[in-house]
Amino acid sequence: MKTVILWSARLVVLGLVSAFFFWAAQWTHAQTDAPRVDIAKIEGVIDPFTEGYVERVIDVAVQDHANALVFELNTPGGGLDVTRKIVERFLNSPVPIIVYVAPSGARAGSAGVFLTLGGHLAAMAPGTNIGAAHPVDAEGKDISGDLGDKVENDAVAFIRSIAQQRGRNAQWAEEAVRKSVSITEQEALAQGVVEIVATDVNDLLNQADGRVVKVQNQDVTLNTRGAIIRQVEMNFFEQFFHILLDPNIASILLTLGTLALVVEVYNPGAVIPAIIGVICLTLAAVALFGLPTNWAAVFLILVGIGMMVLDIKVTGFALTIGGVIAFVLGAFFLFRPFTPPEPTTPDVSVSPFVIGALTLLTVLFFVFAVSAAVKTRNAPTLMGTKPLLGASGVARTTLNPQGIILIKSEEWSAIAQDAPIQAGERVQVVSADGLTLHVKKSSSKT
C-alpha cells in the first residue's frame, strides 16, 4: 500500500513539473512571437545631434528585428539640410517608421512637416497641429530675391516628392511651404496629410495594426497590436549636445567663460579659472555655430572683454565701465531678443530672466574685481629699506655682530649694534646700509 502511495505521489510531482515546463515553453514562445515596437522621441529644435540620434535609433530597431519604429515628434523646426538627411533615413529605412505628433499640445512645425510626411505612417494626437514650413534664413526672416525663389522652389519640390512617395496630400504640402499654412490634427486627417489620430501610443499601435505600407519598394503589413514596446532614449552625449544648442545655455556658457578668463588675467597663474574659461567658451562656440547667432553681438562681447582687460593696466576705470556696457549689450542682442521669431523658425531668443541674471552677475563681478584693483593700486609700494626703519623683527641666527633677521615675513642681513644678540631675540631696525640693516635689541619680549 505504501508503495502505491509513493508511486502515485511521484507521478503527481512529475506531472506538475511537466506542466510547469510546458507552460514556460508556451509563455516563452508567445513572448518570442509577440511583435516588437521601438519608440523614440524627437523634441526641440532639429539639429545635427538629432540626426545622429535618429540614425542610431533606426540601427537599433534593425538589430531588435522590430516590427515598427515610432518617433514621437514635437518640434518647432530646424535646419533644412539636417531635415533632408533625416528624411532620407526615413525613406530608406528597412523598418516601418510611424511618425506620431504627440503629446497633446505638440506641433510639427517647419522641419517637422517634412519629417511627418516622410514616415511610412503619419499620426497625430488630439490637440496638435502641423504646418508652417516656409524656408527662412538664419535670422528667421524671409529670403528675398532670386535666392529666396530658388530655396522656396527647392523646398517645394522636396516636400512634394515626399508626399507623393508616401501617398499623401502633395498640394497641401506645397501650400505649407509657400503659404506657411498650418492645420489641426482633424483637418490633417480629413485632408489626407496623416492617416491616424490616436489618443496615445497603445491606441496608435492598435489602429496601425494590419495597415499595409511600402518599405524599400515592398508591401509590408504592420503587426503592432499587443506589441512589446522598447523605449530608445537619447544617450548622455546626445542629450548633452542637444541641450547645449539652447540659446539660454549658450549665453550662460559664454558669460561664465569670459568671466573666468578675466579672473585668470587678474590672477595670472591661477590655472583653474583659465581651464574653466576655455571649456565654457569652447562649448559656447559649439552652440553658437549651431544656432542663428548675431555675430555682430559676439564681436561686441569680445570688444567689451578686451576693454575690461586693458583697464587693468590703465589708471581710472573708464574702459571697465565701457567694457561692461559693451558686454551686456552684446549678450542682450546675441539672439535678437526684440524680434519675435517667425512662425516657421524655432524660437532662439534668450529669456529676459536669463539676460537679467547674467547682467547682474557681470556687474557684481566687476564691482568686486575693480574694488580689488583699486585697493591694489592704492596700496603703498615697498621700495628699498626705508619702510623698514623702526620696524621690529626676530633674529633668525645669532648676530655677533652679523647674522640674519626676519622682518615683515622677509629675511634680511643685519649687523647688531649691541652684539651679541641671540637667535630668537627681538630686534629693532635702527638704520640701513644698502641691503644690510643695522639693528639693536628690542625692549619688547618674544
Side-chain angles (χ1 to χ4, degrees):
M1 185 65 180
K2 291 183 179 180
T3 303
V4 173
I5 295 176
L6 181 61
W7 276 103
S8 299
R10 289 176 178 175
L11 290 175
V12 170
V13 171
L14 181 61
L16 291 174
V17 171
S18 300
F20 171 77
F21 281 108
F22 177 78
W23 173 83
Q26 291 294 323
W27 183 85
T28 303
H29 181 71
Q31 291 296 312
T32 303
D33 288 349
R36 299 178 61 88
V37 173
D38 287 352
I39 297 180
K41 292 184 179 181
I42 300 178
E43 297 178 310
V45 177
I46 304 299
D47 55 49
F49 304 110
T50 306
E51 176 200 348
Y53 169 59
V54 168
E55 184 173 356
R56 182 177 67 84
V57 168
I58 293 176
D59 291 340
V60 169
V62 172
Q63 296 171 5
D64 286 348
H65 303 288
N67 295 74
L69 170 59
V70 176
F71 281 103
E72 293 187 34
L73 180 67
N74 181 15
T75 177
L80 186 58
D81 290 339
V82 174
T83 302
R84 283 182 177 274
K85 294 177 181 179
I86 296 177
V87 170
E88 181 181 350
R89 290 288 295 173
F90 281 7
L91 296 177
N92 294 284
S93 171
V95 178
I97 291 178
I98 304 173
V99 179
Y100 179 38
V101 183
S104 294
R107 60 172 167 163
S110 190
V113 180
F114 292 81
L115 300 186
T116 304
L117 295 177
H120 295 90
L121 203 61
M124 297 176 68
T128 58
N129 65 281
I130 182 173
H134 185 73
V136 294
D137 62 15
E139 296 293 324
K141 301 177 181 178
D142 288 335
I143 306 172
S144 59
D146 294 337
L147 178 61
D149 294 338
K150 179 179 179 180
V151 173
E152 180 180 303
N153 291 333
D154 181 62
V156 166
F158 180 43
I159 202 167
R160 285 188 66 91
S161 68
I162 300 171
Q164 290 171 354
Q165 183 170 345
R166 294 305 193 200
R168 300 193 177 102
N169 191 333
Q171 183 58 40
W172 178 88
E174 179 175 345
E175 291 180 356
V177 173
R178 293 197 186 278
K179 301 179 182 180
S180 292
V181 297
S182 183
I183 54 179
T184 66
E185 81 285 352
Q186 293 298 335
E187 293 170 332
L189 182 63
Q191 296 183 37
V193 177
V194 301
E195 291 79 37
I196 296 174
V197 172
T199 56
D200 54 31
V201 171
N202 288 330
D203 184 25
L204 171 66
L205 297 181
N206 288 336
Q207 292 192 52
D209 187 67
R211 293 177 182 260
V212 178
V213 296
K214 192 171 289 294
V215 180
Q216 295 183 331
N217 296 321
Q218 293 185 351
D219 289 339
V220 174
T221 301
L222 294 179
N223 179 20
T224 55
R225 187 181 296 274
I228 299 173
I229 295 175
R230 176 187 177 185
Q231 296 283 346
V232 185
E233 305 286 349
M234 279 189 169
N235 59 36
F236 172 79
F237 293 102
E238 290 166 343
Q239 287 181 340
F240 177 78
F241 286 107
H242 188 60
I243 293 173
L244 190 64
L245 293 185
D246 182 303
N248 295 307
I249 300 298
S251 299
I252 292 172
L253 288 173
L254 183 62
T255 303
L256 293 181
T258 52
L259 294 182
L261 289 185
V262 172
V263 170
E264 178 65 24
V265 173
Y266 271 92
N267 302 275
V271 179
I272 293 179
I275 295 174
I276 294 174
V278 169
I279 293 175
C280 288
L281 289 180
T282 301
L283 294 176
V286 172
L288 293 176
F289 279 106
L291 292 168
T293 304
N294 182 357
W295 292 104
V298 175
F299 177 75
L300 190 61
I301 290 174
L302 296 178
V303 169
I305 297 169
M307 294 171 68
M308 298 176 212
V309 173
L310 287 175
D311 203 22
I312 298 174
K313 304 297 183 181
V314 179
T315 302
F317 303 104
L319 287 177
T320 295
I321 296 173
V324 171
I325 294 173
F327 182 83
V328 171
L329 288 176
F332 200 71
F333 289 105
L334 193 58
F335 298 108
R336 311 180 315 279
F338 290 126
T339 304
E342 298 288 334
T344 56
T345 187
D347 182 3
V348 292
S349 60
V350 182
S351 167
F353 297 102
V354 173
I355 294 175
L358 293 179
T359 301
L360 180 61
L361 174 65
T362 305
V363 171
L364 290 177
F365 172 81
F366 281 102
V367 164
F368 288 110
V370 170
S371 298
V374 169
K375 292 180 181 178
T376 302
R377 290 173 183 172
N378 294 336
T381 304
L382 297 179
M383 299 294 292
T385 58
K386 186 176 180 180
L388 299 177
L389 297 180
S392 297
V394 178
R396 296 297 298 269
T397 64
T398 299
L399 277 64
N400 192 21
Q402 285 187 309
I404 304 297
I405 67 170
L406 180 67
I407 186 168
K408 294 193 174 183
S409 302
E410 294 182 343
E411 291 184 341
W412 291 82
S413 296
I415 298 177
Q417 292 183 347
D418 48 354
I421 298 178
Q422 301 300 321
E425 290 191 78
R426 300 287 298 178
V427 297
Q428 185 177 19
V429 179
V430 176
S431 62
D433 182 11
L435 296 179
T436 301
L437 303 179
H438 290 267
V439 301
K440 66 178 182 178
K441 290 182 180 180
S442 175
S443 57
S444 61
K445 302 294 183 179
T446 58

